[in-house]
Coordinates of all heavy atoms in Angstrom, one line a residue:
D226 N 93.8 107.3 242.9 CA 94.7 108.1 243.8 C 96.2 107.9 243.4 O 97.0 108.9 243.3 CB 94.5 107.8 245.2 CG 94.5 106.2 245.5 OD1 94.7 105.5 244.6 OD2 94.2 105.9 246.7
V227 N 96.6 106.6 243.1 CA 98.0 106.4 242.8 C 98.3 107.0 241.4 O 99.5 107.4 241.1 CB 98.4 105.0 242.8 CG1 98.4 104.5 244.3 CG2 97.6 104.1 242.0
L228 N 97.3 107.0 240.5 CA 97.5 107.7 239.2 C 97.8 109.2 239.4 O 98.6 109.7 238.7 CB 96.3 107.5 238.3 CG 96.0 106.0 237.9 CD1 94.7 106.0 237.0 CD2 97.1 105.4 237.0
A229 N 97.0 109.8 240.3 CA 97.2 111.2 240.6 C 98.6 111.5 241.1 O 99.2 112.6 240.7 CB 96.1 111.7 241.5
V230 N 99.1 110.6 241.9 CA 100.5 110.8 242.5 C 101.5 110.8 241.4 O 102.4 111.7 241.2 CB 100.8 109.8 243.5 CG1 102.3 110.0 244.0 CG2 99.9 109.8 244.7
T231 N 101.5 109.8 240.5 CA 102.4 109.7 239.4 C 102.2 110.9 238.4 O 103.2 111.5 237.9 CB 102.3 108.4 238.7 OG1 102.5 107.3 239.6 CG2 103.3 108.2 237.6
G232 N 101.0 111.2 238.2 CA 100.7 112.3 237.3 C 101.2 113.6 237.8 O 101.7 114.5 237.0
A233 N 101.3 113.8 239.1 CA 101.8 115.0 239.7 C 103.3 115.1 239.4 O 103.8 116.2 239.1 CB 101.6 115.1 241.2
S234 N 104.0 114.0 239.4 CA 105.4 114.0 239.1 C 105.7 114.4 237.7 O 106.6 115.2 237.4 CB 106.0 112.6 239.4 OG 107.3 112.5 238.9
V235 N 104.9 113.9 236.8 CA 105.0 114.2 235.3 C 104.7 115.7 235.1 O 105.5 116.4 234.4 CB 104.0 113.4 234.5 CG1 104.1 113.8 233.0 CG2 104.4 111.9 234.6
A236 N 103.6 116.2 235.7 CA 103.3 117.6 235.6 C 104.4 118.6 236.1 O 104.6 119.6 235.5 CB 101.9 117.9 236.2
V237 N 104.9 118.3 237.2 CA 106.0 119.1 237.8 C 107.2 119.2 236.8 O 107.8 120.3 236.6 CB 106.4 118.6 239.2 CG1 107.7 119.2 239.6 CG2 105.3 118.8 240.2
Q238 N 107.5 118.1 236.2 CA 108.7 118.1 235.3 C 108.3 118.9 234.1 O 109.2 119.7 233.6 CB 109.1 116.7 234.9 CG 109.6 115.8 236.1 CD 109.8 114.4 235.7 OE1 110.8 114.0 235.2 NE2 108.8 113.6 236.1
L239 N 107.1 118.7 233.6 CA 106.7 119.5 232.4 C 106.7 121.0 232.7 O 107.0 121.8 231.8 CB 105.3 119.0 231.9 CG 105.2 117.6 231.4 CD1 103.8 117.2 231.2 CD2 106.0 117.4 230.1
A240 N 106.4 121.4 233.9 CA 106.4 122.8 234.3 C 107.7 123.4 234.5 O 107.8 124.6 234.7 CB 105.5 122.9 235.6
G241 N 108.8 122.5 234.5 CA 110.1 123.1 234.7 C 110.4 123.5 236.2 O 111.2 124.3 236.5
I242 N 109.6 122.9 237.1 CA 109.8 123.2 238.5 C 111.0 122.4 239.1 O 111.1 121.2 238.8 CB 108.5 122.9 239.3 CG1 107.3 123.8 238.8 CG2 108.7 123.0 240.8 CD1 106.0 123.4 239.4
P243 N 111.9 123.0 239.8 CA 113.0 122.3 240.4 C 112.5 121.1 241.2 O 111.5 121.2 241.9 CB 113.6 123.3 241.3 CG 113.3 124.6 240.7 CD 111.9 124.5 240.1
F244 N 113.1 119.9 240.9 CA 112.5 118.7 241.3 C 113.6 117.6 241.5 O 114.4 117.4 240.5 CB 111.5 118.3 240.4 CG 110.6 117.1 240.8 CD1 110.0 117.1 242.0 CD2 110.3 116.1 239.9 CE1 109.2 116.1 242.4 CE2 109.5 115.0 240.2 CZ 108.9 115.0 241.5
Y245 N 113.7 116.9 242.6 CA 114.6 115.8 242.7 C 114.0 114.5 242.3 O 114.3 113.4 242.9 CB 115.1 115.7 244.2 CG 115.8 116.9 244.7 CD1 115.3 117.6 245.8 CD2 117.0 117.3 244.1 CE1 116.0 118.7 246.3 CE2 117.7 118.4 244.6 CZ 117.2 119.2 245.7 OH 117.9 120.2 246.2
G246 N 113.1 114.5 241.3 CA 112.4 113.3 240.8 C 113.2 112.7 239.7 O 114.4 112.9 239.5
P247 N 112.4 111.9 238.9 CA 111.0 111.7 238.9 C 110.5 110.9 240.1 O 111.4 110.3 240.8 CB 110.7 110.9 237.7 CG 111.9 111.1 236.8 CD 113.0 111.3 237.7
M248 N 109.2 110.8 240.4 CA 108.7 110.1 241.5 C 107.4 109.4 240.9 O 106.8 109.8 240.0 CB 108.2 111.1 242.6 CG 107.5 110.5 243.7 SD 105.7 110.6 243.4 CE 105.4 112.4 243.4
A249 N 107.1 108.3 241.5 CA 105.9 107.5 241.1 C 105.4 106.7 242.3 O 106.1 106.5 243.2 CB 106.3 106.5 239.9
A250 N 104.1 106.3 242.1 CA 103.5 105.6 243.2 C 102.7 104.4 242.6 O 102.1 104.5 241.5 CB 102.5 106.5 244.0
V251 N 102.6 103.3 243.3 CA 101.8 102.2 242.9 C 101.1 101.6 244.1 O 101.6 101.9 245.3 CB 102.6 101.0 242.3 CG1 103.3 101.5 241.0 CG2 103.7 100.5 243.2
R252 N 100.0 100.9 243.9 CA 99.4 100.2 245.0 C 99.7 98.7 244.9 O 99.8 98.2 243.8 CB 97.9 100.4 244.9 CG 97.1 99.6 245.9 CD 95.6 99.9 245.9 NE 95.3 101.0 246.8 CZ 95.1 102.3 246.5 NH1 95.1 102.6 245.2 NH2 94.8 103.2 247.4
V253 N 99.9 98.1 246.1 CA 100.3 96.7 246.1 C 99.2 96.0 246.9 O 98.8 96.4 248.0 CB 101.6 96.4 246.8 CG1 101.9 94.9 246.9 CG2 102.7 97.2 246.1
G254 N 98.6 94.9 246.3 CA 97.7 94.1 247.0 C 98.2 92.7 247.2 O 99.2 92.3 246.7
L255 N 97.5 92.0 248.1 CA 98.0 90.6 248.4 C 96.7 89.7 248.2 O 95.8 89.8 249.1 CB 98.5 90.4 249.8 CG 98.9 89.0 250.3 CD1 100.0 88.5 249.4 CD2 99.4 89.0 251.7
V256 N 96.7 88.9 247.2 CA 95.6 88.0 247.0 C 96.1 86.6 247.1 O 97.0 86.2 246.3 CB 94.9 88.2 245.6 CG1 93.8 87.2 245.4 CG2 94.4 89.6 245.5
G257 N 95.7 85.8 248.1 CA 96.3 84.5 248.3 C 97.7 84.7 248.9 O 98.0 85.5 249.8
D258 N 98.7 84.1 248.1 CA 100.1 84.3 248.5 C 100.8 85.2 247.5 O 102.0 85.3 247.6 CB 100.8 82.9 248.5 CG 100.2 82.0 249.6 OD1 99.8 82.6 250.7 OD2 100.2 80.8 249.4
D259 N 100.1 85.9 246.6 CA 100.7 86.6 245.6 C 100.5 88.1 245.7 O 99.4 88.6 246.0 CB 100.2 86.2 244.2 CG 100.5 84.7 243.9 OD1 101.6 84.2 244.3 OD2 99.6 84.0 243.3
F260 N 101.6 88.9 245.6 CA 101.5 90.3 245.5 C 101.1 90.7 244.1 O 101.5 90.1 243.1 CB 102.8 91.0 245.8 CG 103.3 90.8 247.2 CD1 104.5 90.2 247.5 CD2 102.5 91.2 248.3 CE1 104.9 90.0 248.8 CE2 102.9 91.0 249.6 CZ 104.1 90.4 249.9
I261 N 100.2 91.8 244.0 CA 99.8 92.2 242.7 C 99.9 93.8 242.7 O 99.7 94.4 243.8 CB 98.4 91.8 242.3 CG1 97.4 92.2 243.4 CG2 98.3 90.3 242.1 CD1 95.9 91.9 243.0
I262 N 100.3 94.3 241.5 CA 100.4 95.8 241.4 C 99.1 96.4 241.0 O 98.4 95.9 240.1 CB 101.5 96.1 240.4 CG1 102.9 95.6 240.9 CG2 101.6 97.6 240.1 CD1 103.3 96.4 242.2
N263 N 98.8 97.5 241.6 CA 97.5 98.3 241.2 C 96.3 97.4 241.1 O 95.7 97.2 240.1 CB 97.7 99.1 239.9 CG 98.7 100.2 240.1 OD1 99.1 100.5 241.2 ND2 99.1 100.8 239.0
P264 N 96.0 96.7 242.3 CA 94.8 95.8 242.3 C 93.5 96.6 242.1 O 93.5 97.9 242.3 CB 94.8 95.2 243.7 CG 95.6 96.2 244.5 CD 96.6 96.8 243.6
T265 N 92.5 96.0 241.7 CA 91.1 96.6 241.6 C 90.5 96.7 243.0 O 91.0 96.2 243.9 CB 90.2 95.7 240.7 OG1 90.0 94.5 241.4 CG2 90.8 95.5 239.4
Y266 N 89.5 97.5 243.1 CA 88.8 97.6 244.3 C 88.4 96.3 244.9 O 88.5 96.0 246.1 CB 87.5 98.5 244.2 CG 87.8 100.0 244.2 CD1 87.5 100.8 243.0 CD2 88.3 100.6 245.3 CE1 87.8 102.1 243.0 CE2 88.5 102.0 245.3 CZ 88.2 102.7 244.2 OH 88.5 104.1 244.1
K267 N 87.9 95.4 244.0 CA 87.5 94.1 244.5 C 88.6 93.3 245.0 O 88.5 92.6 246.0 CB 86.8 93.3 243.3 CG 86.2 92.0 243.6 CD 85.5 91.3 242.4 CE 85.0 90.0 242.8 NZ 84.3 89.3 241.7
E268 N 89.8 93.4 244.3 CA 91.0 92.6 244.8 C 91.5 93.2 246.1 O 92.0 92.5 247.0 CB 92.1 92.7 243.8 CG 91.7 91.8 242.5 CD 92.7 92.1 241.4 OE1 93.2 93.2 241.3 OE2 92.9 91.2 240.5
I269 N 91.3 94.5 246.3 CA 91.7 95.2 247.6 C 90.8 94.7 248.7 O 91.3 94.3 249.8 CB 91.7 96.7 247.5 CG1 92.7 97.2 246.5 CG2 91.9 97.3 248.9 CD1 92.5 98.7 246.1

């Protein structure tokens, strides 16, 4: 899902559509006391 969000931003720019971007999305997980970016399903 977060890959699709970032991919949409790239595609809009490539299409020359007016855009106040770029835009990107990431998922944040918390394992123990540490934040991690784009965790796996198991880590989530």
